[in-house]
């Protein structure tokens, strides 16, 4: 038994290598990476370790094992579900507040509406109107927002809106059940808002589309605030989404853990209890547990007093899953810059509002007095990271900070320091001067000037940290 359970880290390493190979090949959907025997030889792995690695790859929906003649591990076309699910798991556990969620939605969804109005064609108009016609329920309401974001042509923005929409739906589980008349009134308001947004986008009125979307997001969030009752979550709904039995079971257990208050360190149930509770075979349960362990949701402890132990989810698995999905969608440098700029410029505004806080004031004073770093790629990168991460931490929105971490991971994967030109001393001095000027605007309470200087700095910086 011990040998069967020990391959976890090694299997995860092999899964990562397989996924890297898929990316290196350009993600050729339908192509085989080789038979099980060939893959065992290629990665020097036992059958049990390789099969666990394949389960993780299948969980990410980047490849699947096909049996029979001409079988093997076949590259597939992924969808956003594993990526959004992984992110919602982490953010939900982190206890993201409604205010953080509102701020993220107010930033990104009007941006999506404005871009859709500028870029939409007649096929997009037909798609949006079809989605509008079907948006007569809360679930369809969510689909409308995702469909709209897809029309921006920016896969990063579309995925982030999808995550925010799903996270909002999770908060709805903590709301008191409204009366039928309240539900009807809310659905009518949602439909009316959607109709107005679609009309503005169809007309190409970017400014009005942004305004209407912002008003709509505020209405939805106000409704959540009005009905939200922390600690009174309704029972997790039955999982109806398609997928392998172990994957569906892992999702159900994760939702049940969250519904129970996510008591880290507690025993969710012994293996025998879980087999009876969920009416599954031992093999299905153990495969589901492996997925839960991968996402650091829970781990199985053997022996007396053992069972499925609730653990603290870490951001790494969620970040990797999202970044992997975006690898397939192939965002451009412009797509990444667009979202990063929106978040970072907005962070500056929040820091201006908090400038008198002792922690914020100390950070600003330290960076205003900092010396110009030497013109070495690593040292300059560290100075940049320290400044921008510091501003993001002071802004304090955990949703947007996670999104920035995803963008940083995409940059790391595609635009590495070895591809970057060594900055000249004058470039480094300009970067440092830009930091100081942003700080001066923040300390003086001039939000608009701080935004302007931050935006110009990011534009100038992009030629070094990322190439289109």
């Amino acid at each position: 038994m011990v040998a069967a359970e020990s391959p976890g880290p090694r299997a995860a390493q092999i899964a990562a290598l397989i996924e890297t190979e898929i990316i290196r090949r350009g993600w050729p959907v339908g192509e085989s990476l080789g038979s099980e025997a060939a893959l065992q030889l290629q990665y020097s792995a036992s059958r049990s370790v390789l099969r666990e690695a394949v389960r993780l790859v299948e969980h990410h929906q980047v490849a699947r094992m096909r049996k029979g003649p001409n079988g093997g591990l076949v590259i597939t076309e992924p969808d956003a579900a594993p990526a959004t699910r992984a992110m919602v798991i982490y953010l939900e556990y982190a206890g993201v507040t409604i205010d953080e969620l509102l701020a993220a939605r107010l930033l990104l969804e009007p941006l999506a509406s404005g871009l859709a109005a500028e870029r939409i064609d007649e096929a997009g108009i037909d798609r949006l109107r079809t989605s509008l016609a079907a948006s007569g329920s809360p679930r369809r309401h969510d689909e409308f927002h995702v469909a709209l974001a897809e029309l921006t042509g920016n896969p990063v923005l579309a995925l982030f809106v999808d995550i925010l929409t799903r996270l909002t739906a999770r908060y709805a589980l903590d709301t008191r059940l409204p009366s039928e008349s309240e539900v009807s009134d809310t659905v009518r308001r949602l439909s009316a808002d959607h109709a107005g947004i679609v009309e503005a986008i169809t007309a190409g009125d970017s400014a009005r589309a942004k305004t209407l979307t912002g008003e709509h997001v505020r209405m939805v969030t106000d409704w959540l605030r009005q009905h939200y009752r922390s600690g009174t979550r309704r029972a997790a709904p039955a999982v109806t989404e398609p997928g392998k039995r172990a994957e569906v079971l892992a999702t159900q257990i994760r939702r049940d853990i969250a519904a129970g208050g996510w008591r880290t360190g507690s025993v969710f149930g012994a293996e025998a209890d879980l087999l009876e509770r969920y009416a599954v075979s031992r093999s299905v349960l153990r495969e589901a547990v492996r997925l839960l362990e991968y996402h650091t949701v829970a781990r199985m402890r053997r022996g007396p007093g053992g069972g499925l132990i609730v653990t603290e989810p870490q951001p790494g698995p969620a970040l990797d899953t999202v970044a992997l999905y975006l690898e397939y969608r192939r965002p451009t440098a412009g797509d990444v810059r667009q979202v990063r700029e929106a978040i970072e410029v907005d962070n500056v505004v929040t820091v201006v509002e908090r400038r008198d806080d002792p922690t914020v004031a100390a950070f600003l004073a330290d960076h205003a007095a900092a010396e110009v770093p030497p013109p070495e790629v690593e040292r300059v990168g560290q100075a940049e990271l320290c400044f921008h991460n510091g501003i993001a931490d002071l802004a304090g929105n955990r949703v947007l900070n996670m999104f920035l971490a995803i963008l940083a991971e995409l940059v790391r994967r595609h635009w590495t320091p070895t591809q970057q030109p060594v900055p000249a001393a004058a470039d480094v001095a300009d970067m440092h001067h830009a930091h100081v000027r942003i700080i001066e605007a923040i300390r003086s309470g001039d939000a608009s000037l701080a935004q302007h200087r931050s935006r110009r700095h990011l534009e100038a910086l992009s030629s070094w940290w990322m190439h289109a």
Side-chain angles (χ1 to χ4, degrees):
M1 291 298 294
V2 174
E5 293 166 9
S6 59
R10 175 60 178 153
Q13 291 172 0
I14 293 174
L17 290 172
I18 291 172
E19 289 163 356
T20 299
E21 175 63 15
I22 291 171
I23 294 166
R24 188 192 67 78
R25 294 190 186 192
W27 215 300
V29 174
E31 184 175 301
S32 175
L33 293 167
S35 66
E36 182 178 76
L39 291 171
Q40 280 184 245
L41 183 63
Q42 180 178 345
Y43 294 107
S44 302
S46 66
R47 177 178 293 180
S48 62
V49 171
L50 180 69
R51 287 184 174 179
E52 187 170 341
V54 168
R55 288 188 189 99
L56 291 176
V57 171
E58 291 179 331
H59 175 60
H60 288 159
Q61 296 186 4
V62 301
R64 63 179 177 82
M65 187 62 77
R66 185 172 62 196
K67 307 296 184 182
N70 301 316
L73 191 60
V74 178
I75 299 171
T76 58
E77 178 179 356
D79 63 39
T84 55
R85 186 186 304 122
M87 187 59 62
V88 169
I89 288 172
Y90 175 72
L91 292 174
E92 183 181 17
Y93 171 78
V96 167
T97 66
I98 291 178
D99 287 337
E100 288 175 288
L101 180 58
L102 170 63
R105 292 192 66 171
L106 279 176
L107 175 64
L108 297 182
E109 293 193 41
L111 173 63
S113 291
L115 288 173
E118 295 169 6
R119 300 175 177 180
I120 199 164
D121 55 18
E122 291 210 11
I125 292 171
D126 288 342
R127 180 183 174 190
L128 203 53
R129 286 178 171 175
T130 299
S131 180
L132 173 64
S135 63
S137 69
R139 181 173 177 80
R140 292 295 187 178
H141 160 76
D142 295 344
E143 292 173 2
F144 171 83
H145 285 265
V146 175
L148 189 156
E150 285 284 351
L151 293 175
T152 65
N154 184 326
V156 178
L157 183 57
L159 185 65
F160 287 178
V161 169
D162 193 357
I163 291 168
L164 293 174
T165 301
R166 289 173 184 257
L167 191 57
T168 302
R170 296 298 298 155
Y171 268 98
L173 291 176
D174 278 341
T175 59
R176 66 175 177 83
L177 290 172
S179 65
E180 289 188 18
S181 61
E182 286 181 289
V183 172
S184 297
D185 289 344
T186 301
V187 170
R188 280 195 294 270
R189 175 68 188 277
L190 293 176
S191 298
D193 284 359
H194 290 171
I197 294 168
V198 170
E199 183 178 351
I201 290 174
T202 301
D205 191 338
S206 177
R208 180 162 174 74
K210 287 171 134 181
T211 299
L212 292 175
T213 301
E215 292 173 352
H216 173 68
V217 169
R218 287 189 182 92
M219 186 275 288
V220 171
T221 312
D222 286 345
W223 187 94
L224 279 176
R225 283 200 185 102
Q226 179 184 351
H227 296 84
Y228 182 71
R229 296 291 184 272
S230 179
T232 58
R233 173 165 295 178
R234 302 192 299 274
V239 177
T240 58
E241 55 202 70
K244 292 176 62 177
R245 292 185 66 193
E247 203 163 309
V248 172
L249 176 60
T251 300
Q252 184 66 66
I253 293 175
R254 189 268 301 172
R255 289 180 175 176
D256 290 343
I257 288 173
W262 218 304
R263 297 187 298 274
T264 302
S266 65
V267 179
F268 182 72
E271 184 177 74
D273 296 332
L274 297 175
L275 289 171
E276 183 178 355
R277 186 188 312 178
Y278 294 103
V280 295
S281 67
R282 180 171 276 105
S283 61
V284 169
L285 176 63
R286 289 185 173 178
E287 186 172 342
V289 168
R290 278 191 285 267
L291 294 175
L292 293 169
E293 289 175 337
Y294 172 75
H295 286 288
T296 65
V297 169
R299 63 181 176 82
M300 186 62 77
R301 184 172 65 195
R302 304 295 176 186
L308 190 63
I309 309 300
V310 178
T311 56
E312 180 178 347
Q314 299 298 312
L319 192 152
D320 289 341
T321 304
V322 172
L324 179 63
Y325 171 74
L326 288 174
E327 292 268 12
Y328 171 74
R329 294 296 304 273
R330 298 180 183 176
T332 66
D335 292 331
V336 175
R337 279 199 301 262
Q338 190 173 57
V339 180
R340 181 192 179 189
E341 180 181 300
I343 296 174
E344 294 216 31
V345 171
D346 186 72
N347 280 342
V348 168
V349 176
T350 304
V351 175
V352 169
E353 295 170 353
R354 300 177 179 175
R355 66 189 181 279
D356 294 330
D357 180 275
T359 302
V360 176
F363 173 89
L364 297 175
D366 287 346
H367 280 265
E371 296 182 357
V372 179
E376 301 169 3
V377 170
E378 184 175 346
R379 297 287 294 277
V380 175
Q382 289 174 347
E384 268 299 305
L385 193 65
C386 181
F387 178 77
H388 291 277
N389 283 356
I391 293 292
D393 288 341
L394 294 175
N397 189 310
R398 288 168 290 182
V399 180
L400 294 178
N401 283 359
M402 193 64 176
F403 288 171
L404 284 176
I406 293 167
L407 298 179
E409 176 63 15
L410 284 175
V411 171
R412 186 192 69 78
R413 293 183 181 208
H414 287 282
W415 298 275
T416 62
T418 57
Q419 297 171 306
Q420 297 166 349
V422 177
D427 295 328
V428 178
D430 287 344
M431 179 203 75
H432 179 75
H433 183 58
H435 291 178
V436 172
R437 283 170 57 77
I438 292 169
I439 288 171
E440 288 174 351
I442 293 173
R443 295 174 87 175
S444 67
D446 194 334
S448 60
L449 184 59
Q451 286 178 286
H452 171 80
R453 289 177 176 176
S454 181
R455 187 173 286 110
R456 297 289 83 79
H457 171 55
L458 289 168
E459 289 174 355
L461 189 64
S462 66
S463 63
W464 176 71
W465 67 270
M466 190 178 205
H467 299 287

